[in-house]
């Protein structure tokens, strides 16, 4: 999520940077919404303070044996006003979040505008290989060598799935063992997370709302997939300490995990090998 302070203090820069990624937003409309949100939040706090003060005065008069009906009437009015303000605040918070959640990260100032078709070559190292024969791609090589059985994988599970066989299966397992042993040597903790996650986990990991349509949903909720199959291991790992406060002497935390990756990408259902080291280094995100 973009820094709200940056949007408030430099809206023109934010709008221009987003336009480089072909994202058109009405920053002025959002700033008006943001101002309204802060105003209503202040109103809610004032109404709550008024209600507390009235409750104290009512209690004080009751202890003194005095009638407090006028104060009770005023308290009911304040409570009704507070309820209306809280409802309005909830609506504004939803609209505020709905605007901020889909916004992508701002590109560096030197990044060219547009999509990948406008990518620029920064530098070239070495020379591309030249073959005296027609090279085969990995799909043909894996099939010819009997490492991967694409036809029977599709027969068992549908398009986009495959079966590792023979030396292919052994190689897959050897890589997993190497991955596990090397991370254990480096002091990481091995984690096997659940394959079902909640919406909060997807939102915290940045999976939602943008990629909500790319996961396999088990149960739908009001905001999106209430429970879904994890799309990659780090979606679970980054949530291990969600809503927790860690002491300095507990850091850094180092985790790695191995899971399948359930996501709706064309031909993409590989295992996920992920490691996280926090807070001093970013985690690698191996993709298929």
């Amino acid at each position: 999520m973009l820094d709200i302070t940056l949007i408030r203090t430099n809206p023109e820069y934010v709008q221009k940077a987003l336009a480089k990624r072909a994202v058109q937003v009405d920053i002025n409309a959002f700033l008006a919404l943001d101002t309204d949100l802060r105003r209503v939040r202040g109103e809610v706090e004032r109404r709550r303070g008024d209600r507390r003060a009235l409750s104290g005065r009512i209690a004080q008069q009751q202890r003194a044996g005095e009638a407090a009906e006028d104060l009770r009437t005023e308290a009911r009015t304040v409570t009704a006003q507070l309820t209306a303000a809280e409802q309005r605040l909830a609506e504004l918070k939803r609209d505020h979040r709905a605007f901020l959640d889909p916004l992508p990260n701002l590109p560096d100032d030197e990044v060219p505008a547009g999509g990948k078709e406008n990518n620029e070559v920064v530098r070239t190292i070495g020379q591309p290989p030249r073959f005296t024969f027609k090279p085969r791609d990995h799909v043909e090589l894996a099939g010819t060598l009997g490492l991967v059985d694409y036809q029977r994988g599709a027969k068992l599970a549908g398009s986009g799935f495959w079966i590792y066989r023979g030396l292919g299966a052994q190689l897959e397992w050897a890589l997993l063992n190497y991955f596990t042993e090397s991370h254990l040597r480096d002091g990481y903790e091995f984690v096997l997370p659940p394959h079902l996650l909640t919406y909060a986990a997807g939102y915290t990991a940045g999976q939602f709302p943008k990629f909500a349509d790319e996961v396999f949903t088990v149960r739908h909720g009001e905001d999106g997939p209430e429970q879904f199959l994890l799309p990659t291991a780090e979606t679970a790992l980054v949530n291990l300490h969600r809503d927790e406060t860690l002491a300095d002497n507990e850091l850094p935390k180092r985790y790695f995990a191995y899971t399948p990756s359930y996501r709706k990408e064309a031909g993409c259902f590989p295992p996920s090998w992920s490691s996280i080291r926090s807070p001093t280094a970013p985690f690698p995100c191996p993709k298929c």
Side-chain angles (χ1 to χ4, degrees):
M1 183 178 292
L2 297 186
D3 182 3
I4 184 62
T5 303
L6 176 62
I7 299 177
R8 290 169 181 163
T9 57
N10 203 342
E12 295 82 6
Y13 169 76
V14 172
Q15 187 148 22
K16 183 178 179 180
L18 290 173
K20 292 178 68 173
R21 302 193 63 172
V23 177
Q24 302 296 330
V25 294
D26 190 342
I27 292 291
N28 290 331
F30 172 73
L31 291 175
L33 169 67
D34 182 63
T35 299
D36 203 16
L37 172 66
R38 287 187 285 172
R39 178 186 60 78
V40 175
R41 183 184 288 127
E43 180 183 350
V44 167
E45 293 303 319
R46 287 193 299 273
R47 298 296 183 193
R48 288 173 178 169
D50 292 342
R51 187 173 63 176
R52 286 193 297 269
L54 284 168
S55 296
R57 291 171 60 189
I58 291 171
Q60 185 178 17
Q61 289 196 9
Q62 285 179 333
R63 286 194 296 270
E66 300 174 2
E69 189 56 37
D70 290 344
L71 290 178
R72 289 194 181 92
T73 300
E74 185 179 354
R76 286 192 290 270
T77 300
V78 169
T79 298
Q81 293 171 339
L82 174 59
T83 300
E86 288 176 334
Q87 291 174 348
R88 177 58 179 156
L89 181 61
E91 294 171 359
L92 290 170
K93 283 183 175 180
R94 286 195 296 269
D95 293 342
H96 201 267
R97 174 174 161 179
F99 180 91
L100 291 175
D101 281 352
L103 296 182
N105 291 330
L106 301 182
D108 186 88
D109 292 339
E110 297 182 2
V111 173
K116 61 183 180 181
E117 68 279 358
N118 293 327
N119 287 350
E120 297 176 355
V121 177
V122 177
R123 61 181 177 274
T124 301
I125 300 175
Q127 297 294 325
R130 297 180 180 274
F131 300 101
T132 58
F133 56 90
K134 181 181 178 181
R136 300 178 178 180
D137 61 33
H138 69 283
V139 174
E140 185 178 2
L141 285 171
T144 301
L145 296 174
L147 307 179
V148 178
D149 191 334
Y150 295 98
Q151 290 74 26
R152 291 181 177 84
K155 180 173 69 174
L156 295 181
S159 177
F161 293 87
W162 57 81
I163 302 172
Y164 291 107
R165 300 187 62 166
L167 290 177
Q170 294 179 55
L171 176 60
E172 175 78 1
W173 213 254
L175 288 171
L176 176 57
N177 286 335
Y178 172 75
F179 169 79
T180 302
E181 292 166 3
S182 62
H183 279 73
L184 290 175
R185 283 196 303 269
D186 290 337
Y188 284 68
E189 179 183 343
F190 194 8
V191 175
L192 290 176
H195 292 190
L196 285 177
L197 301 177
T198 63
Y199 182 88
Y203 180 79
T204 299
Q207 192 76 27
F208 303 148
K210 183 176 181 180
F211 300 110
D213 293 336
E214 294 186 8
V215 300
F216 289 97
T217 302
V218 176
R219 186 170 64 249
H220 286 278
E222 182 178 342
D223 294 325
E226 187 174 306
Q227 195 173 47
F228 63 98
L229 294 171
L230 85 171
T232 182
E234 60 263 30
T235 303
L237 291 185
V238 298
N239 280 276
L240 282 184
H241 297 288
R242 187 182 77 232
D243 301 327
E244 297 179 26
T245 301
L246 302 177
D248 289 347
N249 59 6
E250 297 180 78
L251 301 174
K253 297 287 189 181
R254 297 180 175 89
Y255 303 112
F256 73 100
Y258 172 83
T259 70
S261 293
Y262 306 100
R263 56 182 184 264
K264 300 176 184 177
E265 296 177 14
C268 175
F269 302 94
S272 174
W273 302 358
S274 302
S275 57
I276 290 181
R277 180 186 178 207
S278 69
T280 55
F283 59 85
C285 180
K287 296 299 181 183
C288 53

